[in-house]
Amino acid sequence: LEAESAQRLLGVLIALPHGPLKFSHAVEGLVETSSNVAAVAMPAPLDAMEEVATILCSTRSDVGSALADARLKIRVVAETMGKGTVELPPAYPGWQPNPKSPVLETTKRELAEMLAQDGGGEPKVLAIHAGLECGLIGEKCEKVTGPLDMVSFGPTITGAHSPDEAVEVATVPKFYELTKRVLSRLAEKRA
């Protein structure tokens, strides 16, 4: 790279939003919005006439407007400092945790009963900063039905999103039983 191009590239990389940008008000310690500089690539060998760098940023948020803000910052930095073009593929929709969710309360009650029968402890409720199918499903359904009350749970999985992904088969029957119990209780409430 020519010195001026290298300086510009470093400036863009330093200015891009990276790391946690905002934490959740609903769940202490949970990242709500983040961005990371995921990859930087340059064609090899470099054509001396056209110095190009491709920067991949990964953004996520459980709040749509916060995600849009983070993506706008990336666009502004790239277009003003980098003199580049920006491609923004569709964003993965977020899903805001609702600690007061009626469906969550029903799920916790049913799981607590199952754990008590097995001599186990109390259910643990966690929220993670990751893309979940609930965001996609919620976005699609909300357009038709309005906001959905959702929970996410399942059998134990190891090596998620890798060639080593596997399910602990022994956890599937309990997951299936919990699903039936929760659906049964929700159906009783609607009746």
Side-chain angles (χ1 to χ4, degrees):
L1 280 178
E2 296 288 326
E4 182 183 335
S5 297
Q7 187 88 15
R8 185 179 311 121
L9 176 58
L10 286 174
V12 167
L13 291 172
I14 290 168
L16 284 170
H18 183 75
L21 304 177
K22 185 170 187 312
F23 286 84
S24 170
H25 294 289
V27 179
E28 186 177 337
L30 177 67
V31 175
E32 175 190 278
T33 305
S34 70
S35 180
N36 81 318
V37 177
V40 179
M42 300 181 72
L46 270 176
D47 179 347
M49 298 299 290
E50 185 177 353
E51 295 182 325
V52 176
T54 300
I55 303 169
L56 174 65
C57 295
S58 176
T59 54
R60 61 175 48 139
S61 179
D62 57 22
V63 177
S65 60
L67 180 62
D69 287 347
R71 290 164 60 99
L72 176 61
K73 287 176 186 165
I74 291 168
R75 176 183 292 282
V76 169
V77 167
E79 290 178 349
T80 59
M81 293 181 68
K83 299 182 182 178
T85 58
V86 177
E87 295 177 22
L88 293 175
Y92 200 89
W95 173 44
Q96 281 190 285
N98 178 6
K100 297 179 180 167
S101 155
V103 173
L104 175 59
E105 288 305 315
T106 299
T107 305
K108 283 174 27 183
R109 256 192 324 275
E110 293 303 317
L111 181 55
E113 280 185 29
M114 289 175 64
L115 291 172
Q117 292 169 359
D118 290 344
E122 288 295 310
K124 294 178 185 168
V125 176
L126 305 171
I128 60 171
H129 181 62
L132 293 175
E133 290 77 4
C134 292
L136 290 170
I137 294 167
E139 180 183 68
K140 301 292 183 205
C141 292
E142 190 171 285
K143 293 174 184 174
V144 178
T145 64
L148 292 179
D149 187 6
M150 300 181 283
V151 294
S152 176
F153 64 92
T156 302
I157 295 175
T158 58
H161 308 295
S162 78
D164 297 326
E165 182 169 345
V167 65
E168 289 184 20
V169 175
T171 65
V172 173
K174 289 181 182 182
F175 157 72
Y176 178 63
E177 180 61 27
L178 178 59
T179 302
K180 291 190 309 184
R181 290 174 68 137
V182 169
L183 290 174
S184 177
R185 293 299 168 262
L186 294 175
E188 288 171 6
K189 287 180 180 182
R190 291 196 82 195

